[in-house]
């Protein structure tokens, strides 16, 4: 292993990322709320020497019950349970800056980092939609810009809390009866627009210092936030050219923010549908499409596009007069991606739903293991990706197939590790340095 | 096993409940933030067929670093990790109603209940002190009455969220493409004084319905709250007579609230210091006292009594003009207990600190295993306790000694289980019924 190395993240979701996956004979429709399902997935991913596991999240019920498996285990809870069932793999939980308080969330990630021996990661999201807002005393979602302003202040406070103990604050002098050195404790005493947090944190500094910071918003505000804070970025990209643009943009933003661009990893999502021949892969994809309930897809699309119920016709095109991204207060970049995909490929609403059914806007790719490995190598070597967010259409079988058939090819090409290094933290695995404590950074003279 | 059975809860704290325990040669001064320490304790408790484990909590640093091991793993995180390392034992986490939001906390407890197969419990606290308040944007703690009013509304909302899925809401009809029945979902649509929560929860109803509800405030407001919501109550009691009064009071309050008093278990705390002879036990106790740093004790006592720093003299009595409990906005019942203890036994400040060093106001009892078993039996059979909160002065050795030497005596007397029943939930173990779903309670005609 000498050349630049790929990073692979396993995005675990229910019985798979395809919305109809639960209807396949092989799928357990209760799996998404059973620990054993995730233990099995985590062990498959660890067998494939993946960098990390990832769980999405929102503090609301995402869909009605008729459509598909609803509800979930809270991600930090589930990943804590998985920490004890695995040894190496990173554990990335999504949590919202809009609907948490910095003190509580900073403690929880610090605790997971300790319990897992330095394997915690945080996918920082601002949470679109009024459904979540209404679970926290608000009538509607705060404006997009305000959500990102709050996210930035949240990060500033959380970073101070994680640094509020110096690494060597514990003295443990039994004879003198002195356990720790209070001069190495730095309460943030933060008073800002959204938060007042005196501190210090009640958890010592953790193996990684703090969790790996991951981000997944691609709007202008989202990119600016990523350039400043994120060490890894998840993104939905439909074309090589689009992914290259995004990659170049984020790297140059990081550089402009005074950071080493290599310390910001870009990971587009891919929904691989594997077959031992192309025809088999296509058939697997068609089988999934045949199980889509299109009426549900219409509801969800109207929701994403912020259209009144009943606007869309299944066999017609999208309306021509959709508002620009700037008028959308929800998930801005996902909105644009979906509209552009429909326009570019002249899709009817039905076809669009079929395309989104697999990965909600992520690149779906049906093919042989060789073809999938080729696609990954191309994006990786042509400036579109530092690695991938692997989003199997069906779980566990799709992850198992990827580990059995694609990972060995990536290894054979020298692109991916063949085993885990001993006792690596998640940040080390992504090739990133352990962060210095901000209270110890020498003042520039 | 025919007669009424004892319940035993293992209250785990750092290297033990005695503040000086960390200074003993046997103690690991880093143990309180290491998962392995707690795994070991949990397994000892499970060997002793304890009902449950319990972790205290506050969203603040409880003491300065010089004094004793500070910081902690966040309890729900730690108990989730312990869920996978144990099979039977209940897992009771403290969490604050003053500094959490109902939606987030309800999800987390529901997730732990699922992950642990129905073993979750919640010690509901209102969190005294300005230190916590200042981590959540407040200048000072809210008044005592307001904290309890918020706690009651918090519980009302959380109970609705936990009931927001009927047990049989999942249909899983693959052929029809219908996963669940939306008519069995009941969003709380709560709008109250402290919270607005639309709901429903995004977790299905759990094995227990919701976590075992535990409470530990003994003030008038605390007792009223317990009578209404709690299924188990932790309490600090110094005398048999005092414990009997408390027990009778809580049971009659529960009855007056229309509940079966047997469904509210009262568990006083006891700090057993064991020796194979009385003299050995006393020597173990003295060894711990010799390791107390009294200056730190003065700071903490001034804080509890809300006195200015420098008020107390080590070898003098408590001031005669302390305010009545009604003037205290912090931990009311603990305040009264400490003042009464000092007055009753005419203790100097130094002696009081020695007495509090072991259990912060809980009954400390040094003796042989036979004597400890006698004490437990007396309180249990004479209307003072349904069981005990076992708070070893030194951990793990004190828990190990209790399991090796006291538990067999309690078993031999027919007071305590000799093994776990198969697949019991925590609530079943405490002899409590699984709660009905409030949305299904037939209307009284
Ligand atoms: C792979 C991936 C995973 C995401 N996971 C979540 C999630 O779990 N919760 C969430 O609220 N948003 C999630 N998002 C959405 C983004 O965080 C972001 O809210 C969305 O892209 C809109 O942000 P923008 O308005 O900045 O584009 C995810 C996005 C991507 C690409
Ligand atoms: C065994 C026991 C454990 C307790 N654990 C906690 C705790 O973890 N966090 C907390 O804030 N208070 C804790 N308390 C304190 C009570 O919840 C309560 O705040 C305190 O007794 C004062 O309440 P009161 O004013 O109603 O008496 C505990 C009390 C007892 C007896």
């Amino acid at each position: 292993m000498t050349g630049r190395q790929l990073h692979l993240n396993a995005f675990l979701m229910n019985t798979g990322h395809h919305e109809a996956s639960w209807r396949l004979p092989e799928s357990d429709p209760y799996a998404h709320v059973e620990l054993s399902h995730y233990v099995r997935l985590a062990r498959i991913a660890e067998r494939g020497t993946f960098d990390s596991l990832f769980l999405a999240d929102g503090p609301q019920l995402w869909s009605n019950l008729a459509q598909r498996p609803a509800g979930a285990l809270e991600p930090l809870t589930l990943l804590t349970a998985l920490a004890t069932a695995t040894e190496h793999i990173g554990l990335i939980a999504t949590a919202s800056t809009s609907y948490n308080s910095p003190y509580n969330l900073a403690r929880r990630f610090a605790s997971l980092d300790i319990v897992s021996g330095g394997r915690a990661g945080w996918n920082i999201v601002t949470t679109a939609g009024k459904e979540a807002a209404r679970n926290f005393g608000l009538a509607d979602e705060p404006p997009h810009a305000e959500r990102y302003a709050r996210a930035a202040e949240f990060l500033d406070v959380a970073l101070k809390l994680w640094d509020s103990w110096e690494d060597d604050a514990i003295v443990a002098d039994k004879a003198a009866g002195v356990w720790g050195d209070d001069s190495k404790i730095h309460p943030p005493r933060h008073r800002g627009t959204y938060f007042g947090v005196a501190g210090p944190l009640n958890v010592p500094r953790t193996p990684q210092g703090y969790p790996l910071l991951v981000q997944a918003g691609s709007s202008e505000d989202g990119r600016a936030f990523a350039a400043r804070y994120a060490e890894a970025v998840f993104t939905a990209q439909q074309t090589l050219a689009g992914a290259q643009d995004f990659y170049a943009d984020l790297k140059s933003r990081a550089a402009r923010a005074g950071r080493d661009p290599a310390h910001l990893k870009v990971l587009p999502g891919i929904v691989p549908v594997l077959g031992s021949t192309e025809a088999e892969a296509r058939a697997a994809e068609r089988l999934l499409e045949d199980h889509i309930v299109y009426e549900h897809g219409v509801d969800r699309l109207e929701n994403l596009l912020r259209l009144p119920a009943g606007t869309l016709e299944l066999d017609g095109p999208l309306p021509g007069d959709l508002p620009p991204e700037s008028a959308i207060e929800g998930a801005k970049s996902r909105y644009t991606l979906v509209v552009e995909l429909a326009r570019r490929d002249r899709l009817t609403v039905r076809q669009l739903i079929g395309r989104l059914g697999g990965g909600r806007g992520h690149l779906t790719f049906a093919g042989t293991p060789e073809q999938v490995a080729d696609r990954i190598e191309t994006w990786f070597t042509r400036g579109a990706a530092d690695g991938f967010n692997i989003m199997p259409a069906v779980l566990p079988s799709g992850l198992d197939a990827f580990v059995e058939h694609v990972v060995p090819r990536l290894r054979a090409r020298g692109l991916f590790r063949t085993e885990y290094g001993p006792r690596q933290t998640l940040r080390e695995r992504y090739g990133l340095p352990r962060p210095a404590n901000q209270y110890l950074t020498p003042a520039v003279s």
Side-chain angles (χ1 to χ4, degrees), chain A:
Chain A
M1 292 215 331
T2 46
R4 182 170 154 257
Q5 292 288 302
L6 260 176
H7 298 284
L8 294 181
N9 174 66
F11 184 172
L12 308 183
M13 183 174 273
N14 298 353
T15 51
H17 284 270
H18 197 285
E19 61 168 88
S21 59
W22 73 276
R23 296 183 65 190
L24 298 188
E26 72 185 76
S27 294
D28 169 5
Y30 299 88
H32 67 302
V33 285
E34 282 171 2
L35 176 59
S36 56
H37 176 63
Y38 294 97
V39 168
R40 189 169 159 195
L41 294 173
R43 290 191 174 145
I44 295 170
E46 206 161 53
R47 184 155 49 81
T49 59
F50 272 61
D51 293 73
S52 45
L53 302 175
F54 163 60
L55 296 172
D57 190 54
Q60 80 259 30
L61 196 63
W62 265 335
S63 57
N64 61 28
L65 265 64
Q67 293 186 22
R68 55 176 170 173
L73 296 167
E74 190 277 323
L76 275 158
T77 307
L78 176 51
L79 291 181
T80 301
L82 294 181
T84 65
T86 56
E87 221 184 313
H88 301 283
I89 202 159
L91 308 159
I92 304 176
T94 298
S96 173
T97 52
S98 299
Y99 304 114
N100 279 293
S101 56
Y103 200 89
N104 287 343
L105 199 64
R107 292 179 74 188
R108 296 181 64 201
F109 274 108
S111 298
L112 176 59
D113 202 47
I114 291 175
V115 163
S116 65
R119 296 189 278 144
W122 174 20
N123 177 38
I124 307 160
V125 299
T126 58
T127 312
K130 66 178 184 315
E131 292 75 15
R134 291 181 182 171
N135 290 331
F136 297 88
L138 303 180
D140 205 346
E141 64 186 341
H144 192 267
E146 189 182 316
R147 294 203 307 274
Y148 272 105
R150 180 179 156 116
E153 190 181 325
F154 196 116
L155 262 283
D156 291 340
V157 183
L159 289 165
K160 283 183 184 151
L161 287 169
W162 287 318
D163 281 348
S164 63
W165 292 53
E166 292 181 27
D167 284 310
D168 57 356
I170 304 178
V171 172
D173 185 342
K174 288 185 181 181
V178 176
W179 185 76
D181 180 350
D182 289 287
S183 75
K184 299 196 168 176
I185 297 294
H186 305 277
R189 296 198 184 90
H190 174 87
R191 298 182 71 164
T193 308
Y194 300 97
F195 307 109
V197 182
L201 197 63
N202 55 359
V203 188
R205 202 155 189 269
T206 72
Q208 294 193 102
Y210 48 84
L212 180 76
L213 301 179
V214 182
Q215 203 269 356
S218 296
S219 64
E220 174 58 34
D221 284 343
R223 293 179 194 211
F225 182 90
R228 189 158 151 207
Y229 298 102
E231 298 167 278
V233 167
F234 295 144
T235 178
Q237 299 293 337
Q238 285 284 333
T239 64
L240 176 61
Q244 286 167 326
D245 283 351
F246 181 82
Y247 186 93
D249 179 56
L250 266 196
K251 296 282 180 170
S252 77
R253 283 176 191 254
R256 285 203 303 277
R259 298 177 56 197
D260 180 345
H263 291 168
L264 192 164
K265 306 293 180 189
V266 178
L267 308 174
I270 182 170
V271 182
V273 180
L274 291 163
S276 54
T277 62
E278 244 187 273
E280 248 184 46
R282 289 265 156 73
E285 191 174 43
R286 255 195 317 276
L287 180 69
L288 282 164
E289 272 171 26
D290 288 344
H291 282 89
I292 291 178
V293 178
Y294 282 88
E295 294 66 40
H296 297 154
V298 170
D299 291 347
R300 278 204 304 281
L301 199 53
E302 286 171 343
N303 191 35
L304 177 77
L305 301 177
R306 306 282 156 125
L307 294 170
T311 312
L312 295 176
E313 294 211 31
L314 255 183
D315 293 302
L318 286 191
D321 56 350
L322 289 171
E325 179 181 299
S326 59
I328 296 294
E329 289 299 338
K332 283 182 187 282
S333 56
R334 192 61 57 91
Y335 172 86
T336 298
L337 182 148
V338 167
V339 174
E340 282 180 358
L341 172 66
R343 299 254 154 90
R344 192 188 68 213
D345 295 356
R346 298 172 190 275
L347 304 175
T348 64
V349 167
R350 186 188 301 275
Q351 289 167 327
L352 180 60
I353 290 168
R355 290 281 282 278
L356 295 177
R360 303 178 312 285
H362 287 263
L363 180 68
T364 301
F365 186 75
T368 64
E370 201 64 28
Q371 287 172 323
V372 171
D374 287 346
R375 175 66 65 105
I376 286 175
E377 181 166 4
T378 304
W379 284 42
F380 179 60
T381 54
R382 291 184 50 198
D386 294 311
F388 285 84
N389 198 11
I390 305 300
M391 304 169 54
V394 185
L395 286 169
S397 63
L399 186 62
D400 201 67
F402 189 90
V403 166
E404 284 309 302
H405 303 293
V406 181
V407 166
R409 288 177 164 80
L410 298 173
R411 286 175 175 158
R413 299 179 190 189
L415 299 174
F416 192 56
R417 69 179 69 84
T418 54
E419 57 183 4
Y420 287 117
R423 289 215 208 106
Q424 275 183 321
T425 65
L426 176 57
R427 201 173 260 113
E428 284 166 350
R429 183 149 312 124
Y430 273 101
L432 301 164
R434 183 170 191 268
N437 189 317
Q438 64 182 291
Y439 294 104
L440 293 180
T441 310
V444 183
S445 63

